[in-house]
Amino acid sequence: MNRSLVVAVVLALGCLWGAPIAAQTRAFPTKPVSIVVPFPAGGVVDIVGRLLADKLGASLGVRVLVENRPGAGGTIGAAAVAKAEPDGHTLLVGGAATHVFSPLIFPNVPYDPATSFSAIGQLSAGPLVLVVPQASPVQSFADFAEYVRRQGDKLSYASNGPGTFPHMAAELYRGAVNATYVHVSYGGGPKAMLAVAANEVAFSINHIPNVMPLMKGGKMRALATTGRTRAIALPDLPTFAEGGIPGFETSAWFGLFAPAGTPAAVIARLNSAVNEALKAPDLREKLVAQGDEPVGGSPEALAGYVQAELKKWRPVVKAANVTAQ
């Protein structure tokens, strides 16, 4: 066969094989996009999802709808996305709850956090803040460290419930300083904050939005934040690392995910739309107002972050003996 004819046939076949993929990518999106928020409406995750939906809709040229599918520590909504058609039209706002804590705590979670999803991009990271009652003798993070060392198991702390980020953050600190304080679980952030304000517990390491109202009202004192750098919302507070715990860092984070197998070109378009959305001044302002800080970045960076978080938290969950309730 003539060489030029062979080349022509190969090129033609390549075009035919590539046509469906190219057409699928060019056509995306062909219908409204659904962002599944695996927690109830009105919460921090829901707010992040709705802020993002507004911007993605404008970028993609279709309606972007938020669907709340709460339950089982976020695993019900996450499992629904993992099983959805991998075409980019069904997405998940996931985070530590869906991709780290629940898979490490709940038995038989119906997805693998590392292989059941295609990462799109990290949305935000929200450092937590250490607070004590206003009546506490503790005035600084240095005081707190000494207080924990001296009082030992006489102290208790409030969390929002077993396996929540405030619970695990306090357990991370316990391991860092070999503390012996006692965990007291409350039914959510507001109840935990009321317990701190009432001096029922010695402290809590909690989400900034939960802390702000009572802190501003003079009912509790903030001492330090848990991020790698100082929190934008609380820039006067030192980080735990600055306070003498080298390497200590943890933040509640959210990322956008699609089902595994979503075409790479669709992921790339969604990633571009996410990064564009996170540059919008009004979205950034709203995120910062609730204690979150915009992140962005590549799909690979988010996938790597999930792996690092699983490695980081697995021994903490085991040491705390956290089990499904």
Side-chain angles (χ1 to χ4, degrees), residues 118-133:
S118 295
I120 296 170
Q122 188 170 346
L123 303 175
S124 63
L128 280 68
V129 56
L130 168 65
V131 290
V132 297

Side-chain angles (χ1 to χ4, degrees), residues 191-226:
K191 290 183 179 180
M193 292 301 91
L194 288 174
V196 175
N199 206 21
E200 293 176 10
V201 293
F203 71 96
S204 184
I205 303 175
N206 222 291
H207 302 286
I208 290 175
N210 291 338
V211 166
M212 282 295 202
L214 289 171
M215 188 185 78
K216 289 181 177 178
K219 302 296 184 181
M220 60 179 63
R221 185 179 305 113
L223 303 177
T225 55
T226 65

Side-chain angles (χ1 to χ4, degrees), residues 2-239:
N2 183 282
R3 181 179 177 185
S4 61
L5 181 59
V6 171
V7 172
V9 170
V10 170
L11 290 174
L13 288 174
C15 289
L16 287 174
W17 290 331
I21 296 175
Q24 182 180 14
T25 301
R26 284 197 303 269
F28 175 80
T30 60
K31 58 185 178 181
V33 172
S34 177
I35 295 180
V36 174
V37 171
F39 293 97
V44 173
V45 187
D46 183 62
I47 292 170
V48 171
R50 291 181 190 278
L51 289 173
L52 179 68
D54 290 342
K55 299 298 182 184
L56 287 188
S59 179
L60 298 175
V62 295
R63 293 179 66 198
V64 178
L65 309 173
V66 173
E67 179 185 356
N68 296 94
R69 299 194 66 171
T75 61
I76 290 176
V81 174
K83 296 173 184 175
E85 186 71 23
D87 59 5
H89 291 94
T90 304
L91 309 175
L92 172 73
V93 176
T98 57
H99 281 65
V100 182
F101 298 148
S102 289
L104 292 177
I105 293 169
F106 288 94
N108 304 316
V109 170
Y111 59 85
D112 186 297
T115 63
S116 297
F117 303 93
S118 295
I120 296 170
Q122 188 170 346
L123 303 175
S124 63
L128 280 68
V129 56
L130 168 65
V131 290
V132 297
Q134 192 66 31
S136 171
V138 174
Q139 300 293 320
S140 68
F141 187 67
D143 289 346
F144 177 78
E146 179 62 19
Y147 193 51
V148 167
R149 189 188 68 78
R150 286 189 292 103
Q151 296 294 322
D153 55 12
K154 295 177 184 178
L155 300 181
S156 61
Y157 75 90
S159 86
N160 304 1
T164 60
F165 221 116
H167 178 198
M168 302 317 305
E171 294 303 317
L172 185 66
Y173 181 74
R174 180 201 297 276
V177 299
N178 197 28
T180 56
Y181 44 61
V182 178
H183 174 219
V184 182
S185 173
Y186 289 83
K191 290 183 179 180
M193 292 301 91
L194 288 174
V196 175
N199 206 21
E200 293 176 10
V201 293
F203 71 96
S204 184
I205 303 175
N206 222 291
H207 302 286
I208 290 175
N210 291 338
V211 166
M212 282 295 202
L214 289 171
M215 188 185 78
K216 289 181 177 178
K219 302 296 184 181
M220 60 179 63
R221 185 179 305 113
L223 303 177
T225 55
T226 65
R228 183 175 289 107
T229 59
R230 293 196 176 199
I232 295 174
L234 297 166
D236 293 334
L237 295 182
T239 65

Side-chain angles (χ1 to χ4, degrees), residues 254-283:
F254 302 114
L256 193 65
F257 299 86
T262 300
V266 173
I267 294 295
R269 183 169 183 195
L270 287 167
N271 174 263
S272 177
V274 165
N275 283 310
E276 181 183 344
L278 292 174
K279 293 176 184 176
D282 59 334
L283 186 144

Side-chain angles (χ1 to χ4, degrees), residues 220-317:
M220 60 179 63
R221 185 179 305 113
L223 303 177
T225 55
T226 65
R228 183 175 289 107
T229 59
R230 293 196 176 199
I232 295 174
L234 297 166
D236 293 334
L237 295 182
T239 65
F240 277 49
E242 287 178 309
I245 314 296
F248 189 99
E249 182 275 326
T250 187
S251 291
W253 58 272
F254 302 114
L256 193 65
F257 299 86
T262 300
V266 173
I267 294 295
R269 183 169 183 195
L270 287 167
N271 174 263
S272 177
V274 165
N275 283 310
E276 181 183 344
L278 292 174
K279 293 176 184 176
D282 59 334
L283 186 144
R284 296 178 69 87
E285 183 179 339
K286 290 174 182 176
L287 284 175
V288 170
Q290 69 165 26
D292 288 310
E293 300 172 9
V295 177
S298 68
E300 294 77 15
L302 176 57
Y305 187 63
V306 171
Q307 292 283 11
E309 285 283 277
L310 283 164
K311 182 178 180 181
K312 171 182 180 175
W313 288 106
R314 186 173 282 111
V316 179
V317 170

